[in-house]
Amino acid sequence: MDNLQIISVRENPEYAHEAVKYFQSVWKSNSPEIYEDAITNSVGASRPLPQWYLLLKENEITGCAGLITNDFISRMDLYPWVCSIFVAEEHRGHNYGKLLLDKALTDAKTAGFDSIYLCTDHKGYYEKFGYKFIGFGYHPWHEISRIYELKIS
């Protein structure tokens, strides 16, 4: 399928620097050091989370995602969270986002979780992959997001 590969930064620490740069470029925030700290410290972590992924198409980074304990949302009773899902615009429409979601799902299942969650403003996209809307959550920056759950079978 188009010479695609999903790289776990934890399993491939040589990608850590590139991952930090890519996440910072597509998820601009007031604190770019958040991704640097989170990704750098995931390498060699003793617990199964966090995980950070890069989607490579013909060895070029074209997308990313993470699997983390909390996505800056009030529902800290729910975890793990799929976060920072992104596919470059010119590569959209080929189900590459689903590949990133599936990798997070596989890793969550391997770690023994029975559900995964995500928060978003999108309606209709994640439902296509079996995610169910379960309510709203609140971010520290005073925004509200929709929360979705996918039960792991």
Side-chain angles (χ1 to χ4, degrees):
M1 181 184 216
D2 295 330
N3 195 15
L4 293 174
Q5 186 178 15
I6 296 179
I7 298 295
S8 163
V9 177
R10 178 183 286 213
E11 295 167 10
N12 299 274
E14 66 274 16
Y15 283 90
H17 181 70
E18 286 180 83
V20 168
K21 287 185 350 187
Y22 189 77
F23 276 85
Q24 288 173 335
S25 72
V26 299
W27 293 107
K28 296 176 179 24
S29 76
N30 293 333
S31 302
E33 54 278 334
I34 288 175
Y35 284 112
E36 181 173 8
D37 195 43
I39 292 169
T40 301
N41 285 299
S42 73
V43 175
S46 61
R47 296 191 175 116
L49 300 177
Q51 292 280 351
W52 299 97
Y53 311 111
L54 294 174
L55 174 67
L56 303 180
K57 181 177 181 180
E58 298 172 8
N59 293 318
E60 177 188 339
I61 300 174
T62 58
C64 61
L67 182 66
I68 60 176
T69 57
N70 187 275
D71 199 8
F72 298 105
I73 195 147
S74 57
R75 292 297 307 271
M76 294 185 190
D77 57 310
L78 306 175
Y79 59 91
W81 294 83
V82 179
C83 72
S84 304
I85 302 166
F86 180 84
V87 174
E89 193 168 338
E90 63 271 20
H91 297 286
R92 293 179 187 167
H94 302 285
N95 260 351
Y96 296 162
K98 182 177 181 345
L99 296 175
L100 289 162
L101 291 168
D102 288 348
K103 175 61 173 158
L105 175 67
T106 298
D107 285 353
K109 184 175 185 177
T110 299
F113 294 103
D114 57 8
S115 292
I116 58 175
Y117 303 89
L118 59 84
C119 58
T120 185
D121 295 331
H122 296 290
K123 292 181 187 175
Y125 180 74
Y126 297 102
E127 292 90 337
K128 294 187 295 189
F129 308 119
Y131 285 80
K132 305 284 186 223
F133 171 72
I134 62 169
F136 293 96
Y138 306 92
H139 297 284
W141 51 88
H142 308 291
E143 289 183 11
I144 299 172
S145 286
R146 300 172 61 80
I147 296 176
Y148 288 87
E149 176 183 34
L150 179 66
K151 299 238 184 240
I152 300 173
S153 53

